[in-house]
Amino acid sequence: MNKLFSTIMSVCLACNVQATDLFKTSQDIALRAPSVPLITSDTYLAIWSPYNELNEGNTEHWTAATHPLLGALRVDGKVYRFMGKDKLNLETILPMTNTERWEAKFTMSQPAANWIQPQFDDSGWTKGKAAFGTKDMKRIGTEWNTEDIWVRRSFNLNQDLTNDIIYLRYSHDDVFELYLNGEKLVATDYSWNDDVTIELSASAKAKLRKGTNIIAAHCHNTTGGAYVDFGLFRENKQLSNFKEAAIQKSVDVLPTQTYYTFTCGPVELDLVFTAPLLMEDLDLISTPINYISYRVRSLDKKQHDVQVYIETTPQLAVHEPSQPTISEKISKNGMDYLKAGTIDQPYVKRKGDGVRIDWGYAYLGSNSAPNKDLSIGNYYDMKQAFITNGKLLPNSQDFITRSESDMPAMAYTENLGKVDNQGKSGYVMLGYDDIYSIEYFYERRMAYWKHNGQVSIFDAFERAQASYPSLMKRCRAFDQQLMADAEKAGGRKYAELLALTYRHSITAHKLLTDKEGNLLFLSKENHSNGCINTVDLTYPSAPLYLIYNTELMKGMLNSIFYYSESGRWNKPYPAHDLGTYPIANGQLYGEDMPIEEAGNMILVTTAISMMEGNANYASKYWETLSTWANYLIENGLDPENQLCTDDFAGHLAHNANLSAKAIMAIAGYGEMARMLGKETTANKYIETAKRLAIEWEKMAFDDDHYKLAFDKPGTWSQKYNLIWDKVFNMNIFPQKVFDTEIPFYLTKQNKYGLLLDSRAQYTKSDWVLWSACMSPDDATFQKFIDPIYTYANETTSRVPISDWHDTNTGKMMNFKARSVVGGYYMKLLMEKVKEQK
């Protein structure tokens, strides 16, 4: 990717900010994002583009469900599409369960090898209604609770489809394969997706024949929910759409902003997506409003007549597109809004992992002006009106939808009029009011920005409108400072990784308060199990928040301390989680992580104390911290067989890295005691930690490295938990450990990174960054960063970056859009700690 603009401007701008300055960045970002952040506020309002080019396909929610943003520029009567793609207008050949509970044959026992062929005898199979899956999934017709299911769906064709464009659409959970008359069309790894739509290739379409056809599918469920649904469709090509694609020249992802540049015939379009996630401002970081800014200028020194079109749909406000919605236009205090939401409004009822919000309301907002318009109307007719005359359809009041097919367009346009080489600019705002965000110990709580209902979404939009120039300036200044700090700390590639992951991590949280006013910054465990406020997600994400606002860090811990002291949790170590997002009523995870979570909570509390220069926060929970520290003294050196955060290859007893965490947490507790003036306690725990570290070194030593488990010679693992010895500068472990481990790690790298341990070829990139930070010099640090940068730049898993990937193929193992990538900031945290001393 090239530099976005040729003119470099300092962020130290004068008070009079020129409109053109809003579209300039001095950064030249080389990293190709696996998925580009566009609209990022929280786990529900999170829209990404998983493509190299913004107009290559539909924009998506992090779950991969379509959350459409469509953009077009009309120049002298010709329309260029710069963002997203039109919704396909599909006619049903074979329905999915959103319109019909179709019937098929199925078996849950391994069939013969030719089960995919049309001539296979399935008379011994059972008939069942779709969808097939566990009872907690949508529209289940046949319950499936085994590991595997095989489905054969027979259908008759009486028409020639040779000249039609045919699409397969499917939903699955987990590993899925599908065949049409014996030809494989789909083969996934461990993942779950809704309504994936693919065009049939010429060879696949040739398999369709008049008479009987068979679609055969197999799904393997590894854990949790299971699901199978699929159908066939053909495209109705009669309806208008934005066919001409603009030419994308560049894309640059910075911490709070994403910049694009396009050529649209004789003009150039600059497009900026801004999520003002500035962590020192709690109102700002919690307000669910983002900006889409645009600037158009002539390339040929001539004037051109230009209109801008930006659109979304009520799909932002539903879990399933078939849910009934209502949309309306509102004008208030000089602002116009398009508002959409479900009719039912089931506040904080839908919980789980791969789900979208279906309560509250999505908004498209702009100031009222004669050259601007907002309108709700028929999806295809709206585009035809813009193509024909550069205007929108007259607004349809109270537009009600009862199926996916009648989902309307929510469209914004601005007539820029005659545009010359000086250019003209504007912006539109996209927001979401969830009304209630979280159920916290059986009480619905609003997001922080609402201040218990005193601030309305209209107040928030008006404030966002008034703050636009100053916020753009603040975001640019912050982005440049972060990039400069990161490059100084770890080099240019490191800085670009931090730019990619800044919004990514923050967006996986929700900010609110409890009824006493205590801050809560609760994460969702995206794409791993959907837990809320998981402690072993808080731990790896900590560096980002320790740098920029320790109050947010406390907001992740407050609820766990409260739970431990409320009488609802009576174990001598912390809970793993508080439930399944957005219901935070207590742990639901089926297994505890005693040493893992006790170590995590103590270490993060120690880090807060270190960053604040006092242990006042720790003193509030000293009795609880003492219980956990004593538990670690008794059980931490040689852990029993138990779950830990790196359990991908199974549970493990005598885990050396887990033991290192316990030892460092004991030391951290001692350091907090010292800060509180408890010298006797401090000396006791710090000396205990040093004694245990000596024992650890003897137990773990294995010639040229340290073992994965004390009883398993010949094994190894990343000892990333040792990083706190460097951060705290406590010298708990002998320097020999670091001098031995780091050179050994360099022998265990593949193209896409350092292995997690000796059991498999995958890694966790957050932990690689922590291990890299134990390097003796910058040159060694770069040897670990380069493969992770290459992974991000080359992975074919086009998702908000996965933190768990195969080091040979670069493909995600699982996990995406998770908060843990805040752990990438560990090197920058270490530099900030040095600056404080």
Side-chain angles (χ1 to χ4, degrees), residues 1 19 37 103 108 187 242 251 341 368 390 411 456 506 552 565 586 786:
M1 286 175 254
E103 188 175 76
M108 298 181 191
F242 300 147
V251 56
S368 303
S456 73
I506 297 170
L552 292 173
E565 297 175 357
D786 285 350

Side-chain angles (χ1 to χ4, degrees), residues 73-80 266-267 300 302-307 417-419:
L73 202 68
R74 188 174 183 268
V75 184
D76 300 330
K78 184 174 181 178
V79 175
Y80 302 86
V267 304
D300 59 7
K302 298 179 182 179
Q303 289 190 338
H304 297 280
D305 188 51
V306 177
Q307 295 83 39
K418 298 298 181 181
V419 174

